[in-house]
Amino acid sequence: FFADFVHDINVTDIVPGTNGSNKVICPSAAGDHPPQNRSLMFSSGNRTGFELFEEWWDKSQTVPLYLIAVLLPLLNLKSPSFFAKFNVLGTVSVVYLVFLVTVKAAHLGIHLEFNWVTENEFFVPEFRILFPQLTGVLTLAFFIHNCVITLLQNNKNQENNVRDLSIAYFLVGLTYLYVGVIIFASFPSPPLSKECIEQNFLDNFPSDDIMSFVARIFLLFQMMTVYPLLGYLARVQLLRQFFGNAYPSLFHVLILNLAIVGAGVAMARFYPNIGGIIRYSGATCGLAFVFVYPSLIYMISLHRAGQLTWPALIIHIFIILLGLANLIAQFLL
């Protein structure tokens, strides 16, 4: 999108969208248009020159490789306080996204229709059998946010951990809920269907939209702060487990980070589907760390204390089966 904005390239001619100053597009419908219409997307510049540029600047093939030079050095830093302080920059991105969503919703208005009986091509029904896709995403969200416990170990005042974590969870949940609900409610339907909402909602705005362009820049900075932080958490949990030290040597850390970056680049090149990645990985990791391990540890502790009862056993086995069903549903729906 940065490249499209700089080169004044617009795809609004080949994809369905709304009219007016607050244009919203449906990129997923571009596949319905014949290939020859692709030439309409070039509003200026030399087509051959752009094709050469596009070959060297492809978001799935080349850009992930360029990002290695930026992100790999950040992953190798040793200080945990740097990651925590650096992550503060991500807060600026979140504040701007909330501002962007609010402004866009104010201009677009609310487009909702509640009907449990009659189907409507412009609206999504209140209940669909595809809801496990959401539970997979929520499982990863819970699993990832549990990793903050590793950061809390470095706090100076440990007695404030519960308070700080409660406030953080509340603000994060409120942000997720606000952005998700407002985007869904304000998406102009009709003329577009709610099914047009992209996994990254910024993709529903054309590249020449200034506010969305700024949001993408902020999002880039946010990812550059979150990614090293998650890499640090993985380093602490894995290397401390195997070597008893979160930073045994630069060589150990570099090998781990190369594996982490390599996995990310591979997914970006061969399976650039962020929604699928989130729900599959979330359901898999969540099965172990959200459903199975806590339940087993709790039951074992009760058994050793001679306090394990049949109701407690049945309830926790049901929780484990619920996590297993959540994982299986990701591959069936």
Side-chain angles (χ1 to χ4, degrees), residues 39-60:
S39 59
L40 296 175
M41 71 180 292
F42 303 97
S43 57
S44 68
N46 186 298
R47 176 178 170 84
T48 304
F50 175 78
E51 288 180 339
L52 180 62
F53 176 82
E54 190 179 42
E55 181 181 348
W56 288 96
W57 190 267
D58 184 277
K59 70 176 184 178
S60 296

PDB file of all heavy atoms in Angstrom, residues 39-60:
ATOM      1  N   SER A  39      -5.513  -3.439 -16.323  1.00  0.00           N
ATOM      2  CA  SER A  39      -4.827  -2.244 -16.816  1.00  0.00           C
ATOM      3  C   SER A  39      -5.483  -0.963 -16.315  1.00  0.00           C
ATOM      4  O   SER A  39      -4.866   0.089 -16.327  1.00  0.00           O
ATOM      5  CB  SER A  39      -4.817  -2.233 -18.351  1.00  0.00           C
ATOM      6  OG  SER A  39      -6.150  -2.250 -18.848  1.00  0.00           O
ATOM      7  N   LEU A  40      -6.726  -1.046 -15.871  1.00  0.00           N
ATOM      8  CA  LEU A  40      -7.419   0.150 -15.410  1.00  0.00           C
ATOM      9  C   LEU A  40      -6.863   0.667 -14.094  1.00  0.00           C
ATOM     10  O   LEU A  40      -7.132   1.796 -13.712  1.00  0.00           O
ATOM     11  CB  LEU A  40      -8.919  -0.150 -15.236  1.00  0.00           C
ATOM     12  CG  LEU A  40      -9.675  -0.511 -16.513  1.00  0.00           C
ATOM     13  CD1 LEU A  40     -11.109  -0.886 -16.161  1.00  0.00           C
ATOM     14  CD2 LEU A  40      -9.652   0.648 -17.499  1.00  0.00           C
ATOM     15  N   MET A  41      -6.101  -0.169 -13.365  1.00  0.00           N
ATOM     16  CA  MET A  41      -5.630   0.241 -12.055  1.00  0.00           C
ATOM     17  C   MET A  41      -4.505   1.264 -12.139  1.00  0.00           C
ATOM     18  O   MET A  41      -4.172   1.912 -11.156  1.00  0.00           O
ATOM     19  CB  MET A  41      -5.160  -0.966 -11.242  1.00  0.00           C
ATOM     20  CG  MET A  41      -3.879  -1.580 -11.746  1.00  0.00           C
ATOM     21  SD  MET A  41      -3.350  -3.001 -10.752  1.00  0.00           S
ATOM     22  CE  MET A  41      -2.924  -2.201  -9.224  1.00  0.00           C
ATOM     23  N   PHE A  42      -3.895   1.424 -13.275  1.00  0.00           N
ATOM     24  CA  PHE A  42      -2.764   2.337 -13.396  1.00  0.00           C
ATOM     25  C   PHE A  42      -3.279   3.718 -13.757  1.00  0.00           C
ATOM     26  O   PHE A  42      -3.649   3.976 -14.892  1.00  0.00           O
ATOM     27  CB  PHE A  42      -1.775   1.845 -14.457  1.00  0.00           C
ATOM     28  CG  PHE A  42      -1.273   0.462 -14.168  1.00  0.00           C
ATOM     29  CD1 PHE A  42      -1.846  -0.647 -14.779  1.00  0.00           C
ATOM     30  CD2 PHE A  42      -0.246   0.284 -13.271  1.00  0.00           C
ATOM     31  CE1 PHE A  42      -1.388  -1.917 -14.503  1.00  0.00           C
ATOM     32  CE2 PHE A  42       0.213  -0.986 -12.989  1.00  0.00           C
ATOM     33  CZ  PHE A  42      -0.352  -2.084 -13.602  1.00  0.00           C
ATOM     34  N   SER A  43      -3.289   4.589 -12.768  1.00  0.00           N
ATOM     35  CA  SER A  43      -3.783   5.929 -13.022  1.00  0.00           C
ATOM     36  C   SER A  43      -2.686   6.849 -13.519  1.00  0.00           C
ATOM     37  O   SER A  43      -2.960   7.926 -14.006  1.00  0.00           O
ATOM     38  CB  SER A  43      -4.400   6.519 -11.741  1.00  0.00           C
ATOM     39  OG  SER A  43      -3.451   6.526 -10.697  1.00  0.00           O
ATOM     40  N   SER A  44      -1.423   6.459 -13.365  1.00  0.00           N
ATOM     41  CA  SER A  44      -0.317   7.251 -13.889  1.00  0.00           C
ATOM     42  C   SER A  44       0.910   6.378 -13.933  1.00  0.00           C
ATOM     43  O   SER A  44       0.956   5.310 -13.351  1.00  0.00           O
ATOM     44  CB  SER A  44      -0.068   8.485 -13.011  1.00  0.00           C
ATOM     45  OG  SER A  44       0.427   8.095 -11.751  1.00  0.00           O
ATOM     46  N   GLY A  45       1.939   6.864 -14.658  1.00  0.00           N
ATOM     47  CA  GLY A  45       3.205   6.142 -14.685  1.00  0.00           C
ATOM     48  C   GLY A  45       3.268   5.168 -15.832  1.00  0.00           C
ATOM     49  O   GLY A  45       2.301   4.917 -16.555  1.00  0.00           O
ATOM     50  N   ASN A  46       4.437   4.570 -15.996  1.00  0.00           N
ATOM     51  CA  ASN A  46       4.687   3.624 -17.070  1.00  0.00           C
ATOM     52  C   ASN A  46       4.330   2.225 -16.596  1.00  0.00           C
ATOM     53  O   ASN A  46       4.785   1.778 -15.552  1.00  0.00           O
ATOM     54  CB  ASN A  46       6.173   3.711 -17.467  1.00  0.00           C
ATOM     55  CG  ASN A  46       6.475   2.850 -18.674  1.00  0.00           C
ATOM     56  OD1 ASN A  46       6.316   1.641 -18.638  1.00  0.00           O
ATOM     57  ND2 ASN A  46       6.926   3.490 -19.741  1.00  0.00           N
ATOM     58  N   ARG A  47       3.522   1.534 -17.371  1.00  0.00           N
ATOM     59  CA  ARG A  47       3.093   0.195 -16.969  1.00  0.00           C
ATOM     60  C   ARG A  47       4.277  -0.744 -16.856  1.00  0.00           C
ATOM     61  O   ARG A  47       4.390  -1.510 -15.905  1.00  0.00           O
ATOM     62  CB  ARG A  47       2.080  -0.347 -17.988  1.00  0.00           C
ATOM     63  CG  ARG A  47       1.657  -1.784 -17.710  1.00  0.00           C
ATOM     64  CD  ARG A  47       0.621  -2.238 -18.703  1.00  0.00           C
ATOM     65  NE  ARG A  47       0.398  -3.673 -18.588  1.00  0.00           N
ATOM     66  CZ  ARG A  47      -0.411  -4.242 -17.725  1.00  0.00           C
ATOM     67  NH1 ARG A  47      -1.040  -3.503 -16.844  1.00  0.00           N
ATOM     68  NH2 ARG A  47      -0.589  -5.551 -17.696  1.00  0.00           N
ATOM     69  N   THR A  48       5.203  -0.679 -17.819  1.00  0.00           N
ATOM     70  CA  THR A  48       6.366  -1.551 -17.766  1.00  0.00           C
ATOM     71  C   THR A  48       7.215  -1.246 -16.543  1.00  0.00           C
ATOM     72  O   THR A  48       7.706  -2.146 -15.860  1.00  0.00           O
ATOM     73  CB  THR A  48       7.206  -1.385 -19.045  1.00  0.00           C
ATOM     74  OG1 THR A  48       6.377  -1.642 -20.169  1.00  0.00           O
ATOM     75  CG2 THR A  48       8.372  -2.336 -19.031  1.00  0.00           C
ATOM     76  N   GLY A  49       7.388   0.049 -16.264  1.00  0.00           N
ATOM     77  CA  GLY A  49       8.156   0.423 -15.081  1.00  0.00           C
ATOM     78  C   GLY A  49       7.506  -0.068 -13.808  1.00  0.00           C
ATOM     79  O   GLY A  49       8.197  -0.527 -12.887  1.00  0.00           O
ATOM     80  N   PHE A  50       6.181   0.002 -13.748  1.00  0.00           N
ATOM     81  CA  PHE A  50       5.505  -0.476 -12.555  1.00  0.00           C
ATOM     82  C   PHE A  50       5.635  -1.990 -12.412  1.00  0.00           C
ATOM     83  O   PHE A  50       5.808  -2.500 -11.313  1.00  0.00           O
ATOM     84  CB  PHE A  50       4.031  -0.088 -12.586  1.00  0.00           C
ATOM     85  CG  PHE A  50       3.255  -0.670 -11.430  1.00  0.00           C
ATOM     86  CD1 PHE A  50       3.333  -0.096 -10.178  1.00  0.00           C
ATOM     87  CD2 PHE A  50       2.487  -1.818 -11.597  1.00  0.00           C
ATOM     88  CE1 PHE A  50       2.642  -0.631  -9.100  1.00  0.00           C
ATOM     89  CE2 PHE A  50       1.796  -2.362 -10.532  1.00  0.00           C
ATOM     90  CZ  PHE A  50       1.877  -1.754  -9.276  1.00  0.00           C
ATOM     91  N   GLU A  51       5.518  -2.705 -13.520  1.00  0.00           N
ATOM     92  CA  GLU A  51       5.655  -4.153 -13.454  1.00  0.00           C
ATOM     93  C   GLU A  51       7.031  -4.547 -12.918  1.00  0.00           C
ATOM     94  O   GLU A  51       7.158  -5.500 -12.157  1.00  0.00           O
ATOM     95  CB  GLU A  51       5.422  -4.756 -14.840  1.00  0.00           C
ATOM     96  CG  GLU A  51       3.969  -4.724 -15.283  1.00  0.00           C
ATOM     97  CD  GLU A  51       3.788  -5.320 -16.663  1.00  0.00           C
ATOM     98  OE1 GLU A  51       4.791  -5.386 -17.412  1.00  0.00           O
ATOM     99  OE2 GLU A  51       2.663  -5.710 -16.987  1.00  0.00           O
ATOM    100  N   LEU A  52       8.062  -3.787 -13.317  1.00  0.00           N
ATOM    101  CA  LEU A  52       9.394  -4.061 -12.796  1.00  0.00           C
ATOM    102  C   LEU A  52       9.454  -3.764 -11.305  1.00  0.00           C
ATOM    103  O   LEU A  52      10.030  -4.537 -10.527  1.00  0.00           O
ATOM    104  CB  LEU A  52      10.425  -3.213 -13.549  1.00  0.00           C
ATOM    105  CG  LEU A  52      11.887  -3.386 -13.103  1.00  0.00           C
ATOM    106  CD1 LEU A  52      12.340  -4.823 -13.329  1.00  0.00           C
ATOM    107  CD2 LEU A  52      12.788  -2.413 -13.847  1.00  0.00           C
ATOM    108  N   PHE A  53       8.840  -2.649 -10.903  1.00  0.00           N
ATOM    109  CA  PHE A  53       8.808  -2.314  -9.488  1.00  0.00           C
ATOM    110  C   PHE A  53       8.027  -3.349  -8.693  1.00  0.00           C
ATOM    111  O   PHE A  53       8.418  -3.755  -7.601  1.00  0.00           O
ATOM    112  CB  PHE A  53       8.189  -0.930  -9.297  1.00  0.00           C
ATOM    113  CG  PHE A  53       8.029  -0.536  -7.862  1.00  0.00           C
ATOM    114  CD1 PHE A  53       9.088  -0.004  -7.148  1.00  0.00           C
ATOM    115  CD2 PHE A  53       6.812  -0.703  -7.214  1.00  0.00           C
ATOM    116  CE1 PHE A  53       8.942   0.355  -5.822  1.00  0.00           C
ATOM    117  CE2 PHE A  53       6.654  -0.349  -5.894  1.00  0.00           C
ATOM    118  CZ  PHE A  53       7.723   0.188  -5.196  1.00  0.00           C
ATOM    119  N   GLU A  54       6.873  -3.779  -9.265  1.00  0.00           N
ATOM    120  CA  GLU A  54       6.036  -4.761  -8.580  1.00  0.00           C
ATOM    121  C   GLU A  54       6.764  -6.082  -8.399  1.00  0.00           C
ATOM    122  O   GLU A  54       6.553  -6.800  -7.415  1.00  0.00           O
ATOM    123  CB  GLU A  54       4.744  -4.965  -9.376  1.00  0.00           C
ATOM    124  CG  GLU A  54       3.690  -5.782  -8.644  1.00  0.00           C
ATOM    125  CD  GLU A  54       2.433  -5.927  -9.461  1.00  0.00           C
ATOM    126  OE1 GLU A  54       2.573  -6.159 -10.688  1.00  0.00           O
ATOM    127  OE2 GLU A  54       1.333  -5.814  -8.911  1.00  0.00           O
ATOM    128  N   GLU A  55       7.646  -6.394  -9.343  1.00  0.00           N
ATOM    129  CA  GLU A  55       8.412  -7.633  -9.236  1.00  0.00           C
ATOM    130  C   GLU A  55       9.372  -7.598  -8.048  1.00  0.00           C
ATOM    131  O   GLU A  55       9.611  -8.610  -7.396  1.00  0.00           O
ATOM    132  CB  GLU A  55       9.193  -7.866 -10.534  1.00  0.00           C
ATOM    133  CG  GLU A  55      10.018  -9.148 -10.540  1.00  0.00           C
ATOM    134  CD  GLU A  55      10.777  -9.327 -11.829  1.00  0.00           C
ATOM    135  OE1 GLU A  55      10.491  -8.577 -12.798  1.00  0.00           O
ATOM    136  OE2 GLU A  55      11.650 -10.199 -11.880  1.00  0.00           O
ATOM    137  N   TRP A  56       9.911  -6.411  -7.762  1.00  0.00           N
ATOM    138  CA  TRP A  56      10.867  -6.282  -6.663  1.00  0.00           C
ATOM    139  C   TRP A  56      10.209  -5.834  -5.366  1.00  0.00           C
ATOM    140  O   TRP A  56      10.856  -5.800  -4.329  1.00  0.00           O
ATOM    141  CB  TRP A  56      11.965  -5.282  -7.048  1.00  0.00           C
ATOM    142  CG  TRP A  56      12.898  -5.829  -8.082  1.00  0.00           C
ATOM    143  CD1 TRP A  56      12.841  -5.630  -9.433  1.00  0.00           C
ATOM    144  CD2 TRP A  56      14.016  -6.689  -7.862  1.00  0.00           C
ATOM    145  NE1 TRP A  56      13.849  -6.306 -10.073  1.00  0.00           N
ATOM    146  CE2 TRP A  56      14.600  -6.962  -9.129  1.00  0.00           C
ATOM    147  CE3 TRP A  56      14.596  -7.262  -6.725  1.00  0.00           C
ATOM    148  CZ2 TRP A  56      15.707  -7.791  -9.273  1.00  0.00           C
ATOM    149  CZ3 TRP A  56      15.706  -8.071  -6.864  1.00  0.00           C
ATOM    150  CH2 TRP A  56      16.247  -8.332  -8.130  1.00  0.00           C
ATOM    151  N   TRP A  57       8.949  -5.477  -5.424  1.00  0.00           N
ATOM    152  CA  TRP A  57       8.244  -5.023  -4.227  1.00  0.00           C
ATOM    153  C   TRP A  57       6.891  -5.718  -4.153  1.00  0.00           C
ATOM    154  O   TRP A  57       5.854  -5.151  -4.442  1.00  0.00           O
ATOM    155  CB  TRP A  57       8.077  -3.502  -4.238  1.00  0.00           C
ATOM    156  CG  TRP A  57       7.582  -2.962  -2.931  1.00  0.00           C
ATOM    157  CD1 TRP A  57       6.294  -2.738  -2.575  1.00  0.00           C
ATOM    158  CD2 TRP A  57       8.369  -2.592  -1.797  1.00  0.00           C
ATOM    159  NE1 TRP A  57       6.214  -2.246  -1.295  1.00  0.00           N
ATOM    160  CE2 TRP A  57       7.474  -2.146  -0.794  1.00  0.00           C
ATOM    161  CE3 TRP A  57       9.747  -2.593  -1.535  1.00  0.00           C
ATOM    162  CZ2 TRP A  57       7.929  -1.703   0.456  1.00  0.00           C
ATOM    163  CZ3 TRP A  57      10.185  -2.143  -0.296  1.00  0.00           C
ATOM    164  CH2 TRP A  57       9.282  -1.712   0.679  1.00  0.00           C
ATOM    165  N   ASP A  58       6.928  -6.991  -3.801  1.00  0.00           N
ATOM    166  CA  ASP A  58       5.726  -7.796  -3.688  1.00  0.00           C
ATOM    167  C   ASP A  58       5.525  -8.142  -2.211  1.00  0.00           C
ATOM    168  O   ASP A  58       6.436  -8.640  -1.552  1.00  0.00           O
ATOM    169  CB  ASP A  58       5.870  -9.079  -4.515  1.00  0.00           C
ATOM    170  CG  ASP A  58       4.592  -9.892  -4.506  1.00  0.00           C
ATOM    171  OD1 ASP A  58       4.386 -10.650  -3.530  1.00  0.00           O
ATOM    172  OD2 ASP A  58       3.805  -9.782  -5.454  1.00  0.00           O
ATOM    173  N   LYS A  59       4.323  -7.886  -1.694  1.00  0.00           N
ATOM    174  CA  LYS A  59       4.106  -8.010  -0.247  1.00  0.00           C
ATOM    175  C   LYS A  59       4.222  -9.444   0.255  1.00  0.00           C
ATOM    176  O   LYS A  59       4.404  -9.652   1.459  1.00  0.00           O
ATOM    177  CB  LYS A  59       2.745  -7.432   0.141  1.00  0.00           C
ATOM    178  CG  LYS A  59       1.548  -8.243  -0.338  1.00  0.00           C
ATOM    179  CD  LYS A  59       0.270  -7.629   0.195  1.00  0.00           C
ATOM    180  CE  LYS A  59      -0.955  -8.448  -0.178  1.00  0.00           C
ATOM    181  NZ  LYS A  59      -2.209  -7.883   0.368  1.00  0.00           N
ATOM    182  N   SER A  60       4.115 -10.419  -0.638  1.00  0.00           N
ATOM    183  CA  SER A  60       4.252 -11.812  -0.211  1.00  0.00           C
ATOM    184  C   SER A  60       5.584 -12.441  -0.607  1.00  0.00           C
ATOM    185  O   SER A  60       6.042 -13.370   0.069  1.00  0.00           O
ATOM    186  CB  SER A  60       3.116 -12.662  -0.796  1.00  0.00           C
ATOM    187  OG  SER A  60       1.868 -12.243  -0.304  1.00  0.00           O
TER     188      SER A  60
END
